[in-house]
Amino acid sequence: MPGEDYIAEFSKEYIGKLFYFCLKKTGNTHEAEELSAEITMHIISALRRGTQPRSFPAWVWRIARNRYSRWAENKHSFRKNSMEAELCSDSPEDGLIRAEELSLLRRELAFTVAEYRRVVVAYYIEDRSVKDIAKSLSLSENTVKSKLYRARNILKEGMNMAREFGAKSYKPESVGFSATGRLPSGLPWSAVNRKIPNNILLAASNNPSTAEELAMELGVALPYMEEEIELLVEATLLKKVGGKYVTNFLIESLEIQREVYRAVKNNSEARSAVINEIAEDCLPAIRGLVYCPLTDEELKWWVVLDLVDQLINNIKGYDGKWPVRDNGEDWGFMGYENTINELCEVVGCNCMGNEKVFYQHYTIKPYGLRDRIGELGYVPTLLLGDIISRGRRIDSLSASEAEHWKQIEKGFAHADSEGNVIPDIMVIEGDNWNKIHELYKSHPCFNDMRQSFQSVFEELIEIFRKYGGELFCEQIACYAYFDIYHLRTITIKDEVESGRLIVPTEPDRSAIAMCIEVK
């Protein structure tokens, strides 16, 4: 790309973002303007000299972070030289706690890290001596004096600043998440079920930030922010690099999402037509391998989605392993910032059971089909599997089983007039699911479709490599594997819009796209 094209893209996409980045870093509008202007001039000068970045976004933000680091070092050096004549004493100085400045002092204490905040509060607010503070904190008196000196400089600087909270302080952003793998502890979902941790992760996404910077961005006092950060670090969603925090997983920006959507949507109509051909050709044989009370029209929903999943499972370049967490679990996690409309209506897949009984439920968000008749819990899943495998009658249920039967009879199975249990969802017994997958693979169009899916996967790899840089290089295949599942949604929409799949007339009573496997 010629240098002028890069400059045009930079002017359109990055100047506003750079100012916002600088404002978060400096906490001061005037300094943010100066710093962003300096970064802008550096980038434009480099492009005019003929620099050709391999990954333009990563290059821009690397320069921004480097120029900020230099700016911070220069500022620190100036502040140190101007303050080095001040000495620490045992009495308040410089009018630090005058009544008219008390509100400013409190504000700055709210954004001072714990190691300094403790000594300042003990000395100025609780009126304790240096000797007493040193004893209670197991520090030397010189260390306490040093921390007080350093804290006073920080507080004075802050009290003279026109601090501005970030936009997230008054306008929390939304972020969607997707997880897969073994999640017995409830992580990562239990760590991201509130606005504060979500917006901490957004602020630290591909943007290493100190606790103070995150506190300013969200408008949350540092004592509370430190606790939130600690919880996210324990959940392995944040990691500490030096004195800064950065997300330990990828949150897709709108820019990445748009490229992902173009990749999965490209040529989708032709691809979906071939998927439909394979599904329809295999449908009669599949019906012979399963028990299914649904019509062919209804059964086809599950066949199409199962076929898409099998094509994904045959992709090369991903070994199926997720990062191993500190608690021994292995799961992958991904975020989506302000998800674009085209990717909002996800077709997910929830599963339940064990090695003998396995329940699968495709959550089809488009067309009002997300919940349908609901979803079986773990115990009802095992109970229904046991009833099917052993041919149990309704009168054989214990009192506790009868309670779980209440969920089953809402649309998953019913008892006839003689007490026999009749499944209302598709049942796959023995090894027949593997036989269904062999049917797909024997179809003459399967390999062409597998190669088509492989090409999409490789394009996603390149997208994440371009935007993720070195930060997520070890997990790029995981993220591409996450997003390849958008092909479920794309295929379903193509099939419905072409008239090849028919939306049930009563979605909330439908049992399409779910099954129970009994070994």
Side-chain angles (χ1 to χ4, degrees):
M1 183 187 294
E4 293 303 317
D5 290 345
Y6 277 123
I7 292 172
E9 180 181 351
F10 173 76
S11 301
K12 180 180 178 181
E13 299 291 339
Y14 291 97
I15 287 181
K17 296 177 183 178
L18 271 176
F19 174 75
Y20 180 61
F21 167 84
C22 295
L23 185 59
K24 288 200 303 180
K25 296 293 187 183
T26 64
N28 180 286
T29 302
H30 178 69
E31 290 181 338
E33 290 173 348
E34 290 186 348
L35 179 58
S36 60
E38 178 185 337
I39 295 170
T40 296
M41 290 302 298
H42 187 86
I43 289 172
I44 291 176
S45 296
L47 292 173
R48 284 178 175 165
R49 289 195 303 269
T51 300
Q52 292 282 322
R54 186 177 67 176
S55 170
F56 189 60
W59 179 77
V60 167
W61 292 116
R62 184 168 62 252
I63 289 177
R65 287 192 288 268
N66 289 342
R67 301 307 295 184
Y68 166 71
S69 295
R70 292 186 184 183
W71 177 88
E73 288 175 3
N74 292 337
K75 185 173 183 180
H76 174 73
S77 177
F78 173 78
R79 185 171 65 244
K80 182 178 179 181
N81 292 336
S82 64
M83 294 291 185
E84 63 185 0
E86 294 190 26
L87 297 175
C88 181
S89 68
D90 282 353
S91 59
E93 62 182 48
D94 298 326
L96 192 61
I97 56 173
R98 289 198 301 266
E100 63 268 25
E101 295 182 339
L102 186 58
S103 62
L104 286 176
L105 175 60
R106 286 172 176 164
R107 182 194 73 182
E108 291 310 308
L109 282 173
F111 295 99
T112 303
V113 294
E115 65 171 312
Y116 296 123
R117 186 173 63 247
R118 284 194 296 265
V119 296
V120 168
V121 170
Y123 185 75
Y124 288 115
I125 307 301
E126 298 174 356
D127 199 26
R128 294 164 60 188
S129 67
V130 169
K131 184 177 181 179
D132 182 38
I133 297 170
K135 183 178 180 180
S136 65
L137 296 178
S138 300
L139 300 172
S140 70
E141 291 185 28
N142 284 338
T143 299
V144 171
K145 289 181 180 182
S146 175
K147 288 185 180 295
L148 278 171
Y149 171 76
R150 172 66 178 142
R152 270 203 306 275
N153 291 339
I154 293 171
L155 289 168
K156 286 178 185 177
E157 179 187 8
M159 290 168 71
N160 290 327
M161 288 172 61
R163 283 195 186 272
E164 296 184 25
F165 292 150
K168 292 183 180 64
S169 66
Y170 59 86
K171 187 182 178 183
E173 295 185 36
S174 61
V175 55
F177 296 106
S178 181
T180 186
R182 296 190 305 112
L183 315 168
S185 70
L187 288 173
W189 295 114
S190 59
V192 293
N193 56 7
R194 294 176 296 116
K195 289 182 179 179
I196 288 179
N198 286 1
N199 281 264
I200 291 172
L201 294 171
L202 276 173
S205 175
N206 214 7
N207 177 39
S209 305
T210 64
E212 303 97 294
E213 290 166 344
L214 293 172
M216 284 301 300
E217 174 60 24
L218 272 67
V220 176
L222 199 53
Y224 306 103
M225 176 59 69
E226 288 167 341
E227 183 178 33
E228 294 287 349
I229 289 173
E230 183 179 350
L231 291 172
L232 289 171
V233 170
E234 289 177 358
T236 69
L237 300 180
L238 274 184
K239 64 179 178 181
K240 192 172 184 179
V241 180
K244 298 188 176 185
Y245 298 90
V246 65
T247 52
N248 200 24
F249 65 100
L250 179 66
I251 298 180
E252 285 190 14
S253 65
L254 290 177
E255 193 173 10
I256 298 176
Q257 290 179 51
R258 291 189 181 101
E259 289 207 33
V260 166
Y261 180 73
R262 285 193 289 269
V264 296
K265 182 61 177 172
N266 184 41
N267 201 37
S268 72
E269 292 180 7
R271 186 171 56 238
S272 297
V274 178
I275 290 173
N276 181 78
E277 179 183 345
I278 298 172
E280 289 198 341
D281 288 349
C282 293
L283 194 61
I286 290 174
R287 183 167 285 283
L289 291 170
V290 303
Y291 164 83
C292 186
L294 309 179
T295 65
D296 282 356
E297 189 176 88
E298 293 170 322
L299 173 58
K300 186 179 171 184
W301 282 81
W302 179 86
V303 174
V304 167
L305 288 168
D306 187 55
L307 173 54
V308 168
D309 282 1
Q310 279 307 297
L311 288 164
I312 291 173
N313 290 339
N314 277 268
I315 286 172
K316 297 178 180 179
Y318 175 65
D319 60 8
K321 294 180 180 179
W322 305 108
V324 177
R325 307 292 166 169
D326 292 344
N327 63 2
E329 296 177 354
D330 55 321
W331 40 264
F333 197 53
M334 192 168 185
Y336 304 88
E337 180 182 355
N338 298 316
T339 307
I340 62 176
N341 292 335
E342 293 89 342
L343 298 182
C344 279
E345 296 187 315
V346 175
V347 176
C349 184
N350 294 339
C351 302
M352 193 75 67
N354 56 29
E355 67 279 0
K356 293 183 178 180
V357 180
F358 182 79
Y359 167 73
Q360 181 195 58
H361 178 113
Y362 284 106
T363 55
I364 306 170
K365 194 171 182 180
Y367 314 113
L369 290 168
R370 178 179 175 82
D371 297 316
R372 307 191 292 290
I373 58 173
E375 189 170 323
L376 280 179
Y378 180 71
V379 176
T381 291
L382 299 187
L383 176 59
L384 181 56
D386 185 63
I387 290 172
I388 294 171
S389 64
R390 296 169 56 192
R392 294 176 61 186
R393 293 165 46 88
I394 194 67
D395 55 15
S396 71
L397 302 182
S398 66
S400 61
E401 289 176 331
E403 285 299 311
H404 294 295
W405 171 256
K406 291 178 182 179
Q407 182 184 359
I408 295 172
E409 67 178 350
K410 290 180 179 178
F412 302 96
H414 67 277
D416 64 14
S417 58
E418 297 180 358
N420 300 306
V421 174
I422 312 298
D424 293 319
I425 62 173
M426 184 170 68
V427 179
I428 307 174
E429 296 188 85
D431 193 44
N432 284 347
W433 208 334
N434 287 332
K435 293 178 181 178
I436 291 171
H437 294 164
E438 290 303 317
L439 273 175
Y440 302 150
K441 292 178 182 178
S442 66
H443 194 281
C445 295
F446 184 85
N447 282 333
D448 288 342
M449 279 297 93
R450 185 195 61 76
Q451 186 55 52
S452 177
F453 274 50
Q454 183 73 41
S455 297
V456 175
F457 179 76
E458 290 170 0
E459 187 172 353
L460 294 178
I461 289 281
E462 291 307 310
I463 291 171
F464 291 125
R465 183 172 287 121
K466 177 170 67 174
Y467 287 100
E470 297 179 1
L471 190 58
F472 303 111
C473 61
E474 295 179 358
Q475 300 182 44
I476 283 178
C478 297
Y479 297 131
Y481 200 71
F482 262 108
D483 275 1
I484 195 74
Y485 279 99
H486 286 307
L487 289 176
R488 286 177 181 158
T489 307
I490 298 295
T491 303
I492 287 296
K493 287 193 169 185
D494 286 342
E495 288 290 272
V496 170
E497 290 170 10
S498 68
R500 296 189 295 261
L501 277 182
I502 307 300
V503 178
T505 55
E506 296 181 281
D508 58 342
R509 298 181 62 183
S510 175
I512 62 169
M514 61 182 69
C515 69
I516 186 166
E517 181 186 32
V518 180
K519 293 289 189 181

